[in-house]
Amino acid sequence: MDQFMPRAVAVSVFMLVLLFEHSSQLETQPLSSRAERLALIRLRSSLGLRAKEWPIKSDPCLIWRGIDCRNGTVVGINISGFKRTRIGRQNPQFAVDSLANLTHLESLNASFFALPGQIPDWFGQVLGTLQVLDLHSCSVVGAIPSSLGNLSSLITLILSDNRLTGIIPSSLGQLLNLSVLDLSQNSLTGSIPESVTYLQNLSRIDISLNNLSGSIPPGIGTLSNLERLNFSRNMLSSSIPSQIGGLANLVDLDLSANHLGSSLPQELKGMTSLQKMVIGNNGLVGGLPDVLFRDLTRLEFVDLSQNSFSGAIPDALWLISSLRIVDLSGNNFTGSLPNTSLNAIATAVVLNLSNNMYYGGLSSILQRFSSIDLSGNYFEGKVPDFAPSNISLIKNCLQNATEQRTLADCASFYASKGLTFDNFGIPTETPSRKSHKRTIILGAVLGGVGLLLLVFLLLLLFLCTRKRGVTDQRGNGVGPIHTTTIPPSPEVSINLLSLGEAFTYQQLLLATGDFAEANLIKHGHSGDLFRGFLEGGIPVVIKRINLNSARKDVYFLELDFFSKVSHHRLVPLLGYCLENENEKYLVYKYMPNGDLSSSLYRKVNPNDDSLKSLDWITRLKIAIGAAEALSYLHHECTPPFVHRDVQASSILLDDKFEVRLGSLSEVCVQEGDTHQSVITRFLRLPQTSEQDPSGSQTATCAYDVYSLGKVLLELVTGKLGISASSDSSMKEWLDQTLPYINIYDKELVTKIVDPSLIYDEDLLEEVWAMAIVARSCLNPKPSRRPLMRYILKALENPLKVVREENTGSARLRPTSSRGSWNAALFGSWRQSSSDVAAVPATSITRVSGTSGSQGSGQNGGDRSSSLRRQSREIFPEPSNDHDVERQSED
Ligand SMILES: *[C@@H]1O[C@H](CO)[C@@H](O)[C@H](O)[C@H]1NC(C)=O
Ligand SMILES: *[C@@H]1O[C@H](CO)[C@@H](O)[C@H](O)[C@H]1NC(C)=O
Ligand SMILES: *[C@@H]1O[C@H](CO)[C@@H](O)[C@H](O)[C@H]1NC(C)=O
Ligand SMILES: *[C@@H]1O[C@H](CO)[C@@H](O)[C@H](O)[C@H]1NC(C)=O
Ligand SMILES: *[C@@H]1O[C@H](CO)[C@@H](O)[C@H](O)[C@H]1NC(C)=O
Ligand SMILES: *[C@@H]1O[C@H](CO)[C@@H](O)[C@H](O)[C@H]1NC(C)=O
Ligand SMILES: *[C@@H]1O[C@H](CO)[C@@H](O)[C@H](O)[C@H]1NC(C)=O
Ligand SMILES: *[C@@H]1O[C@H](CO)[C@@H](O)[C@H](O)[C@H]1NC(C)=O
Ligand SMILES: *[C@@H]1O[C@H](CO)[C@@H](O)[C@H](O)[C@H]1NC(C)=O
């Protein structure tokens, strides 16, 4: 053709040919073999390929997509991502028999092309020239034929993301030229054949995401060309062989999510090219050798998360300048951050040190990182200015951050390290000094007999009343809360047989995946709660009580309680495990709807536009359920029990949002109301930490009433966390909110009602009624709060609460139903109204006027009942419903 062209053009064509010699060879020569052409056409029809890619009348080497030819013969087929014809789609097959006639085939790439069948056994006998076989994501099934070991020219073998089963044939060890072996994302079983260690030319091996078991052959360490090794997400066990430290060219190591227990061999320091080290989630133990990171100067990504490593993180790790992502979360690393300031060039991006046991101050080392998670450690001190804004610091012991650990938790941790906790920066007296002082003063006041009595009372008090919650504890000094009141051998005195199953520790380990962090629901104040599944798939919640940090008798008291009570409103205890000396376990039925605080949270989340609000009917049902449970404890148990931890998170909800009251570790018997309790009360007066801000003792039923009042208010207002809080901001909020609850003005309440609640006029009356009940519960004077059984009645009949006392609509209900509960409620209501915010005198006049006119129109009983009500104001606790009911009907 040269002779028809100008010279210049000919020269440039020649140069192009030189430049692209290879491609011109591949592309410019038509297919010369008729047999190969026929084979391709048969392949075209057996796979159902389209004319779009392989037009039947044109030359495969010149026109067909994905066909590579050399010197007129086919050397490569790439049908990656091709679509089949409509007919081809109907019955896709691994039908490639005619490949056998392409005798020079070097590469077959069918990735993402469905070949739902087995890899033909004859591949190994026939495709002897094959160098590249890529069947990634081809829906291939069955076993890897061991004949593939005959494809001795193979350089790349990719069978990833299929449904391959069976073992990895050891014949693959014959593929001495193999450079890439990728069998990941299949269901291969068995162990890694020793023979892969013969593949000296291997640069990448990926067998992740299979079900391989057994140990890692140490010989892997001799594959000196290896750059990428991924064995993650299998069931490989035993240990990481120290020999793999010999992989000096390894760039990327991923052994995560296996069962490689034992410790990290320090020989890994030989992997001097390593940039990525991912060994998370393995159950690795022990410390990190200090020398390990000194030579790994190229590390960018280190993931050692979710193991059981302990000890300090070697300083050498922090000093690696190429670091970008460091995840050490979920271990037992302990120590404090080094105070090294690094050269400004060193940039690292992400640090996750969450859920370890690091302590001390936040040091300047953190300046290297732009995204930091330190949650779940024991860091103390102030949050420094250089901390990035997105730093996560919850569950630490920091002074200037929210959601920190309790003082007891922090103090006991620091004590266990032989250190003194900074007590959130608040100077305090130690509890022992404090109580001594009190004893002395009171002892002097009361004299000898009084002292004896006092000792006795303090003992009583000690057994029953406990410090709870951050705010309660703050003023109370440091030191682990170890009390010496250990029941000598608890199990003896409780009938364990009545308490469900005695689980073995092994069973609980199985149920919770070894108490994996992922199964942790929350750190409760009496123990950590884990979700789990018993054999047979029964979902449960398991409370792990660590006797080193919790009171020794806490599980005993709870078991004792469960042995004495039984009610459908209490969370069911399924069993326990007392095998271990220092950890005890209680097993409860799982509550599908969590607790009230989490149900409300979903709704209040401002990012969540979908109004997944608990509707009013459900809220009322929950209020009634909670009152029912407490009414049982207060009135049906002898002696009465006080729950002492009534808050939204204690109100558990089953699948139908029925209340099952939980958090029963604080329950105790109510103090008798004999003269002893009067003295107790007197003695306790200066002891603020034993008192609720409401002024009541925590071991009285009135305390529960107050707490329930907060829960009811939470239901009405949708404001999260009222019931869990007892600090001054909550008090302030209450002072602002309660004036909107007025028995003479329904509309006022709409100002505080949860804006996400949809209510009509009728429901508003119920909302209003619940608010009124809440307010009467929140009477600052414990003696003026209604009894739980009246609260229950009021919640069961909310409309009576508002209609009886208020307007002419009183006619709507039968007169005989005017119950003592209502009187009790309103007796306390008046008092509470005047205590919290003086009700205008006019309203009071108005109500007596209304009541008078009503009375004349009806049965004239109102006068006596209002007299009775007045008497209730002094002591609004009628001894018995029937008495009062009769009284009012007289
Ligand atoms: C293709 O190969 C088979 C056996 O390998 C042979 O029997 C057949 O004749 C070949 N076809 C052609 C067209 O050469
Ligand atoms: C190209 O193929 C022809 C026959 O088709 C053969 O004679 C020749 O040797 C081949 N050349 C190369 C470089 O393979
Ligand atoms: C294989 O074919 C696909 C789709 O035609 C193309 O995107 C890809 O680059 C080809 N791969 C090779 C290695 O030629
Ligand atoms: C096969 O083709 C895909 C393109 O679809 C490509 O990404 C892949 O690298 C190819 N496989 C090999 C081994 O070249
Ligand atoms: C191919 O492999 C199989 C099984 O590994 C073996 O039995 C057979 O002899 C081999 N065939 C050839 C031609 O190498
Ligand atoms: C392995 O590769 C080398 C160099 O690429 C080649 O000379 C040798 O023939 C190959 N071995 C086999 C069995 O294909
Ligand atoms: C190993 O691979 C390199 C290229 O990566 C090649 O040059 C060498 O010949 C191969 N060695 C063997 C034994 O196949
Ligand atoms: C940390 O250590 C404690 C005891 O020292 C152990 O109970 C706990 O399970 C460990 N945690 C992890 C994540 O290994
Ligand atoms: C620390 O607390 C002070 C006042 O208590 C506040 O002004 C400051 O913003 C807080 N700093 C941080 C980082 O939370």
Side-chain angles (χ1 to χ4, degrees), residues 25 29 32 70-73:
Q25 258 183 7
Q29 205 162 323
S32 54
R70 194 186 308 124
N71 196 19
T73 63

Side-chain angles (χ1 to χ4, degrees), residues 488-535:
S489 53
E491 290 94 68
V492 179
S493 51
I494 305 177
N495 178 11
L496 288 176
L497 288 177
S498 68
L499 288 169
E501 200 170 330
F503 292 98
T504 64
Y505 181 55
Q506 202 54 37
Q507 277 176 302
L508 300 189
L509 282 179
L510 266 176
T512 57
D514 295 351
F515 290 99
E517 192 76 11
N519 289 326
L520 181 70
I521 300 170
K522 68 172 178 184
H523 297 289
H525 53 74
S526 63
D528 297 340
L529 294 174
F530 291 85
R531 69 175 68 78
F533 291 92
L534 298 179
E535 290 128 37

Side-chain angles (χ1 to χ4, degrees), residues 284-285 306-310 330-333 355-357 505 514-515 517 544 546 583:
L284 289 159
V285 295
Q306 312 299 337
N307 283 296
S308 292
F309 286 120
S310 52
N331 280 289
N332 257 340
F333 285 122
N355 298 315
N356 278 288
M357 306 205 291
Y505 181 55
D514 295 351
F515 290 99
E517 192 76 11
R544 181 174 70 187
N546 184 340
E583 285 187 337

